[in-house]
Amino acid sequence: MAETKKADAAEVAEMASHRPYRKVRRGYVVSDKMDKTIVVEVEDRVKHPLYGKVLRRSSKVKAHDEQNTAGIGDLVVISETRPLSATKHWRLVEIVEKAK
């Protein structure tokens, strides 16, 4: 009985230590003028509910780039994170492809 309680407590602690699901997006850097911040244009493809046509919807988000490595035109992967400023809620995960 005591062993079962210890096992359950360990499972709960392990589950609590994992981060909840965070969104991951790919997009192109459209601005790198700010210090440690990039602006990424993320494209979302949505099917029209009535007509079925696939629409391209894009939005610009600010992402944290600690080493200022990303440049304009780079294809990057960004991940959702805690709010880093009033408008910055994403961070740079990796640069998939550098601009030519």
Side-chain angles (χ1 to χ4, degrees):
M1 181 93 169
E3 291 176 22
T4 310
K5 285 184 180 178
K6 286 181 183 176
D8 292 339
E11 286 179 29
V12 171
E14 185 178 297
M15 291 170 76
S17 67
H18 290 299
R19 284 183 172 164
Y21 176 74
R22 304 236 170 138
K23 295 175 192 164
V24 176
R25 299 283 185 263
R26 285 173 59 142
Y28 287 96
V29 178
V30 293
S31 174
D32 62 351
K33 301 280 186 213
M34 294 170 274
D35 185 33
K36 296 185 180 181
T37 303
I38 54 174
V39 179
V40 180
E41 188 166 34
V42 179
E43 185 181 284
D44 192 21
R45 298 169 84 84
V46 180
K47 195 170 187 180
H48 191 280
L50 178 61
Y51 301 115
K53 180 182 169 117
V54 177
L55 304 170
R56 291 174 19 175
R57 290 189 180 156
S58 62
S59 61
K60 291 181 184 176
V61 296
K62 291 188 179 116
H64 186 67
D65 180 11
E66 186 64 40
Q67 280 87 33
N68 285 322
T69 53
I72 294 176
D74 293 351
L75 178 63
V76 296
V77 175
I78 57 174
S79 175
E80 198 173 34
T81 186
R82 65 180 177 83
L84 299 170
S85 71
T87 57
K88 191 161 57 167
H89 307 278
W90 296 81
R91 64 180 171 81
L92 177 67
V93 176
E94 68 171 312
I95 300 172
V96 177
E97 183 181 333
K98 291 292 278 182
K100 286 146 179 103

